[in-house]
Short mmCIF file of all heavy atoms in Angstrom, two decimals:
data_model
loop_
_atom_site.label_atom_id
_atom_site.label_comp_id
_atom_site.label_asym_id
_atom_site.label_seq_id
_atom_site.Cartn_x
_atom_site.Cartn_y
_atom_site.Cartn_z
N TRP A 1 106.97 -147.78 71.74
CA TRP A 1 106.53 -147.79 70.29
C TRP A 1 105.20 -148.53 70.28
O TRP A 1 104.24 -147.96 69.59
CB TRP A 1 107.53 -148.43 69.51
CG TRP A 1 107.04 -148.59 68.02
CD1 TRP A 1 106.94 -149.81 67.35
CD2 TRP A 1 106.56 -147.70 67.16
NE1 TRP A 1 106.40 -149.68 66.13
CE2 TRP A 1 106.04 -148.31 65.97
CE3 TRP A 1 106.35 -146.25 67.25
CZ2 TRP A 1 105.63 -147.59 64.82
CZ3 TRP A 1 105.75 -145.65 66.14
CH2 TRP A 1 105.32 -146.30 65.00
N PRO A 2 104.95 -149.70 70.82
CA PRO A 2 103.66 -150.39 70.67
C PRO A 2 102.41 -149.42 71.11
O PRO A 2 101.54 -149.29 70.38
CB PRO A 2 103.85 -151.68 71.47
CG PRO A 2 105.27 -151.95 71.47
CD PRO A 2 105.88 -150.54 71.60
N PRO A 3 102.47 -148.87 72.35
CA PRO A 3 101.41 -148.04 72.78
C PRO A 3 101.21 -146.78 71.97
O PRO A 3 100.05 -146.31 71.72
CB PRO A 3 101.69 -147.75 74.22
CG PRO A 3 103.11 -147.89 74.40
CD PRO A 3 103.46 -149.05 73.57
N THR A 4 102.36 -146.23 71.56
CA THR A 4 102.33 -145.04 70.68
C THR A 4 101.75 -145.33 69.31
O THR A 4 100.89 -144.57 68.93
CB THR A 4 103.63 -144.45 70.51
OG1 THR A 4 104.31 -144.10 71.83
CG2 THR A 4 103.69 -143.13 69.66
N ARG A 5 102.10 -146.43 68.78
CA ARG A 5 101.58 -146.71 67.42
C ARG A 5 100.03 -147.09 67.59
O ARG A 5 99.28 -146.62 66.70
CB ARG A 5 102.14 -147.98 66.91
CG ARG A 5 101.77 -148.49 65.59
CD ARG A 5 102.53 -149.77 65.11
NE ARG A 5 102.06 -150.25 63.81
CZ ARG A 5 101.06 -151.16 63.73
NH1 ARG A 5 100.41 -151.48 64.87
NH2 ARG A 5 100.63 -151.64 62.64
N LYS A 6 99.71 -147.63 68.59
CA LYS A 6 98.16 -148.05 68.75
C LYS A 6 97.42 -146.78 68.96
O LYS A 6 96.30 -146.57 68.29
CB LYS A 6 98.01 -148.97 70.05
CG LYS A 6 98.49 -150.35 69.80
CD LYS A 6 98.27 -151.26 71.12
CE LYS A 6 98.79 -152.56 70.77
NZ LYS A 6 98.68 -153.45 72.16
N LEU A 7 97.94 -145.86 69.80
CA LEU A 7 97.19 -144.52 70.01
C LEU A 7 97.14 -143.75 68.60
O LEU A 7 96.14 -143.02 68.38
CB LEU A 7 97.96 -143.73 71.04
CG LEU A 7 97.22 -142.31 71.39
CD1 LEU A 7 95.81 -142.58 71.96
CD2 LEU A 7 98.03 -141.71 72.49
N PHE A 8 98.18 -143.74 67.94
CA PHE A 8 98.28 -142.93 66.64
C PHE A 8 97.15 -143.50 65.73
O PHE A 8 96.36 -142.70 65.11
CB PHE A 8 99.68 -143.21 65.91
CG PHE A 8 99.74 -142.45 64.69
CD1 PHE A 8 100.41 -141.22 64.58
CD2 PHE A 8 99.40 -143.08 63.50
CE1 PHE A 8 100.53 -140.63 63.36
CE2 PHE A 8 99.56 -142.52 62.34
CZ PHE A 8 100.16 -141.15 62.23
N LEU A 9 97.09 -144.78 65.61
CA LEU A 9 96.01 -145.33 64.60
C LEU A 9 94.68 -145.19 65.28
O LEU A 9 93.59 -144.94 64.58
CB LEU A 9 96.24 -146.80 64.34
CG LEU A 9 97.65 -147.10 63.72
CD1 LEU A 9 97.97 -148.63 63.63
CD2 LEU A 9 97.72 -146.43 62.28
N LEU A 10 94.52 -145.27 66.58
CA LEU A 10 93.20 -145.25 67.19
C LEU A 10 92.68 -143.86 67.10
O LEU A 10 91.40 -143.70 66.84
CB LEU A 10 93.28 -145.53 68.78
CG LEU A 10 91.99 -145.59 69.57
CD1 LEU A 10 91.02 -146.56 69.03
CD2 LEU A 10 92.30 -145.74 71.05
N LEU A 11 93.54 -142.80 67.22
CA LEU A 11 92.98 -141.38 67.10
C LEU A 11 92.47 -141.10 65.71
O LEU A 11 91.41 -140.47 65.61
CB LEU A 11 94.17 -140.51 67.50
CG LEU A 11 94.34 -140.30 69.08
CD1 LEU A 11 95.67 -139.59 69.19
CD2 LEU A 11 93.27 -139.73 69.77
N ILE A 12 93.09 -141.59 64.75
CA ILE A 12 92.70 -141.45 63.37
C ILE A 12 91.32 -142.13 63.18
O ILE A 12 90.46 -141.59 62.60
CB ILE A 12 93.73 -141.84 62.37
CG1 ILE A 12 94.99 -141.02 62.41
CG2 ILE A 12 93.14 -141.96 60.94
CD1 ILE A 12 96.13 -141.46 61.43
N PHE A 13 91.29 -143.36 63.63
CA PHE A 13 89.99 -144.13 63.59
C PHE A 13 88.84 -143.44 64.17
O PHE A 13 87.75 -143.35 63.68
CB PHE A 13 90.19 -145.51 64.07
CG PHE A 13 89.11 -146.49 64.13
CD1 PHE A 13 88.56 -146.97 62.96
CD2 PHE A 13 88.35 -146.59 65.33
CE1 PHE A 13 87.48 -147.83 62.95
CE2 PHE A 13 87.33 -147.40 65.30
CZ PHE A 13 86.83 -147.99 64.10
N VAL A 14 89.10 -142.96 65.45
CA VAL A 14 88.02 -142.31 66.26
C VAL A 14 87.67 -140.93 65.64
O VAL A 14 86.51 -140.48 65.80
CB VAL A 14 88.45 -142.20 67.71
CG1 VAL A 14 87.52 -141.33 68.48
CG2 VAL A 14 88.54 -143.53 68.35
N SER A 15 88.65 -140.28 65.04
CA SER A 15 88.35 -138.86 64.51
C SER A 15 87.41 -138.99 63.23
O SER A 15 86.76 -137.91 63.03
CB SER A 15 89.72 -138.25 64.17
OG SER A 15 90.50 -138.17 65.37
N ILE A 16 87.43 -139.96 62.51
CA ILE A 16 86.69 -140.17 61.27
C ILE A 16 85.13 -139.97 61.47
O ILE A 16 84.48 -139.05 60.88
CB ILE A 16 87.00 -141.45 60.57
CG1 ILE A 16 88.41 -141.49 60.12
CG2 ILE A 16 85.90 -141.63 59.35
CD1 ILE A 16 88.83 -142.68 59.40
N PRO A 17 84.47 -140.62 62.44
CA PRO A 17 83.06 -140.38 62.66
C PRO A 17 82.75 -138.98 63.22
O PRO A 17 81.74 -138.39 62.96
CB PRO A 17 82.67 -141.50 63.74
CG PRO A 17 83.88 -141.95 64.29
CD PRO A 17 85.02 -141.72 63.22
N ILE A 18 83.74 -138.42 64.12
CA ILE A 18 83.53 -137.07 64.53
C ILE A 18 83.51 -136.10 63.30
O ILE A 18 82.60 -135.16 63.35
CB ILE A 18 84.55 -136.73 65.55
CG1 ILE A 18 84.46 -137.67 66.81
CG2 ILE A 18 84.41 -135.23 65.98
CD1 ILE A 18 85.62 -137.50 67.74
N ALA A 19 84.43 -136.21 62.39
CA ALA A 19 84.47 -135.36 61.25
C ALA A 19 83.23 -135.43 60.41
O ALA A 19 82.73 -134.56 59.90
CB ALA A 19 85.77 -135.72 60.44
N LEU A 20 82.80 -136.70 60.19
CA LEU A 20 81.52 -136.92 59.45
C LEU A 20 80.34 -136.37 60.07
O LEU A 20 79.50 -135.76 59.23
CB LEU A 20 81.38 -138.53 59.17
CG LEU A 20 82.41 -139.20 58.32
CD1 LEU A 20 82.12 -140.73 58.32
CD2 LEU A 20 82.15 -138.65 56.91
N ILE A 21 80.21 -136.49 61.29
CA ILE A 21 79.00 -135.88 61.95
C ILE A 21 79.10 -134.30 61.75
O ILE A 21 78.03 -133.77 61.47
CB ILE A 21 79.04 -136.24 63.54
CG1 ILE A 21 78.81 -137.64 63.73
CG2 ILE A 21 78.07 -135.36 64.27
CD1 ILE A 21 79.05 -138.14 65.13
N PHE A 22 80.14 -133.80 62.01
CA PHE A 22 80.30 -132.26 61.80
C PHE A 22 80.09 -131.90 60.33
O PHE A 22 79.44 -130.89 60.09
CB PHE A 22 81.70 -131.74 62.31
CG PHE A 22 81.76 -130.24 62.22
CD1 PHE A 22 81.29 -129.52 63.29
CD2 PHE A 22 82.38 -129.58 61.10
CE1 PHE A 22 81.28 -128.20 63.15
CE2 PHE A 22 82.34 -128.19 61.00
CZ PHE A 22 81.82 -127.48 62.11
N TRP A 23 80.56 -132.68 59.27
CA TRP A 23 80.47 -132.37 57.92
C TRP A 23 78.94 -132.30 57.59
O TRP A 23 78.68 -131.31 56.90
CB TRP A 23 81.09 -133.50 57.13
CG TRP A 23 80.95 -133.30 55.61
CD1 TRP A 23 79.93 -133.54 54.92
CD2 TRP A 23 81.99 -132.84 54.81
NE1 TRP A 23 80.28 -133.27 53.57
CE2 TRP A 23 81.52 -132.73 53.49
CE3 TRP A 23 83.36 -132.34 54.99
CZ2 TRP A 23 82.24 -132.33 52.35
CZ3 TRP A 23 84.02 -131.98 53.86
CH2 TRP A 23 83.48 -131.80 52.67
N PHE A 24 78.09 -133.15 58.14
CA PHE A 24 76.81 -133.12 57.69
C PHE A 24 75.91 -132.18 58.58
O PHE A 24 74.85 -131.74 58.20
CB PHE A 24 76.09 -134.49 57.84
CG PHE A 24 76.58 -135.50 56.73
CD1 PHE A 24 77.52 -136.49 57.07
CD2 PHE A 24 76.32 -135.28 55.52
CE1 PHE A 24 78.04 -137.44 56.15
CE2 PHE A 24 76.80 -136.20 54.51
CZ PHE A 24 77.58 -137.26 54.78
N SER A 25 76.38 -131.85 59.75
CA SER A 25 75.64 -130.95 60.67
C SER A 25 76.03 -129.50 60.37
O SER A 25 75.24 -128.59 60.89
CB SER A 25 75.80 -131.32 62.09
OG SER A 25 77.16 -131.23 62.50
N ALA A 26 77.20 -129.24 59.86
CA ALA A 26 77.59 -127.82 59.72
C ALA A 26 76.66 -126.85 59.07
O ALA A 26 76.47 -125.76 59.53
CB ALA A 26 79.00 -127.86 58.92
N PRO A 27 75.96 -127.16 57.96
CA PRO A 27 75.06 -126.35 57.36
C PRO A 27 73.91 -125.89 58.36
O PRO A 27 73.59 -124.71 58.35
CB PRO A 27 74.50 -127.12 56.13
CG PRO A 27 75.41 -128.18 55.89
CD PRO A 27 76.05 -128.40 57.19
N TYR A 28 73.48 -126.82 59.08
CA TYR A 28 72.36 -126.48 60.04
C TYR A 28 72.99 -125.60 61.28
O TYR A 28 72.17 -124.66 61.66
CB TYR A 28 71.78 -127.65 60.75
CG TYR A 28 71.21 -128.58 59.57
CD1 TYR A 28 72.07 -129.68 59.19
CD2 TYR A 28 70.09 -128.44 58.91
CE1 TYR A 28 71.59 -130.56 58.11
CE2 TYR A 28 69.52 -129.13 58.03
CZ TYR A 28 70.21 -130.32 57.56
OH TYR A 28 69.88 -131.05 56.63
N LEU A 29 74.14 -125.89 61.63
CA LEU A 29 74.81 -125.01 62.77
C LEU A 29 74.86 -123.51 62.21
O LEU A 29 74.65 -122.55 62.90
CB LEU A 29 76.19 -125.47 63.08
CG LEU A 29 76.20 -126.88 63.78
CD1 LEU A 29 77.66 -127.33 64.03
CD2 LEU A 29 75.45 -126.84 65.16
N LEU A 30 75.40 -123.34 60.98
CA LEU A 30 75.42 -121.99 60.48
C LEU A 30 74.21 -121.36 60.22
O LEU A 30 74.03 -120.17 60.51
CB LEU A 30 76.34 -122.10 59.10
CG LEU A 30 77.77 -122.34 59.21
CD1 LEU A 30 78.40 -122.46 57.84
CD2 LEU A 30 78.43 -121.13 59.91
N LEU A 31 73.27 -122.02 59.71
CA LEU A 31 71.90 -121.41 59.39
C LEU A 31 71.16 -120.92 60.57
O LEU A 31 70.69 -119.87 60.64
CB LEU A 31 71.00 -122.51 58.68
CG LEU A 31 69.68 -122.08 58.26
CD1 LEU A 31 69.79 -120.92 57.34
CD2 LEU A 31 68.82 -123.24 57.69
N TYR A 32 71.24 -121.70 61.74
CA TYR A 32 70.51 -121.48 62.94
C TYR A 32 71.27 -120.66 64.02
O TYR A 32 70.59 -119.89 64.81
CB TYR A 32 69.90 -122.72 63.51
CG TYR A 32 68.88 -123.34 62.57
CD1 TYR A 32 69.19 -124.54 62.04
CD2 TYR A 32 67.58 -122.74 62.45
CE1 TYR A 32 68.16 -125.19 61.08
CE2 TYR A 32 66.66 -123.36 61.66
CZ TYR A 32 66.91 -124.59 60.91
OH TYR A 32 66.08 -125.09 60.20
N LEU A 33 72.57 -120.81 63.96
CA LEU A 33 73.36 -120.06 64.99
C LEU A 33 74.15 -119.00 64.53
O LEU A 33 74.24 -117.98 65.17
CB LEU A 33 74.22 -121.18 65.65
CG LEU A 33 73.56 -122.28 66.35
CD1 LEU A 33 74.69 -123.15 67.08
CD2 LEU A 33 72.73 -121.75 67.54
N PHE A 34 74.84 -119.14 63.27
CA PHE A 34 75.65 -118.10 62.84
C PHE A 34 75.38 -117.80 61.28
O PHE A 34 76.18 -118.15 60.48
CB PHE A 34 77.07 -118.47 62.95
CG PHE A 34 77.50 -118.91 64.22
CD1 PHE A 34 77.71 -120.30 64.68
CD2 PHE A 34 77.69 -118.03 65.35
CE1 PHE A 34 78.02 -120.67 65.90
CE2 PHE A 34 78.03 -118.40 66.72
CZ PHE A 34 78.11 -119.67 66.95
N PRO A 35 74.22 -117.28 60.99
CA PRO A 35 73.68 -117.14 59.61
C PRO A 35 74.64 -116.07 58.91
O PRO A 35 74.66 -116.17 57.62
CB PRO A 35 72.33 -116.55 59.74
CG PRO A 35 72.22 -115.99 61.12
CD PRO A 35 73.12 -116.81 61.95
N LYS A 36 75.28 -115.18 59.61
CA LYS A 36 76.21 -114.23 58.88
C LYS A 36 77.47 -114.89 58.40
O LYS A 36 78.23 -114.23 57.66
CB LYS A 36 76.57 -113.16 59.86
CG LYS A 36 75.43 -112.31 60.37
CD LYS A 36 75.85 -111.25 61.30
CE LYS A 36 74.73 -110.32 61.80
NZ LYS A 36 75.20 -109.32 62.76
#
């Protein structure tokens, strides 16, 4: 339980900045790579 709980919380914590980076970069990815 201790390592499982730590990993559960750590993954959520680490995922937040990844999601934020994609949120702000998505318009540019679509515009230049997949305009359709």
Side-chain angles (χ1 to χ4, degrees):
W1 174 238
T4 301
R5 179 178 178 274
K6 289 178 182 178
L7 180 60
F8 180 94
L9 298 174
L10 179 64
L11 284 172
I12 292 179
F13 176 77
V14 171
S15 300
I16 292 174
I18 297 176
L20 287 174
I21 291 172
F22 185 83
W23 181 279
F24 291 108
S25 62
Y28 304 99
L29 292 173
L30 285 177
L31 179 62
Y32 293 108
L33 296 179
F34 308 103
K36 296 180 181 179

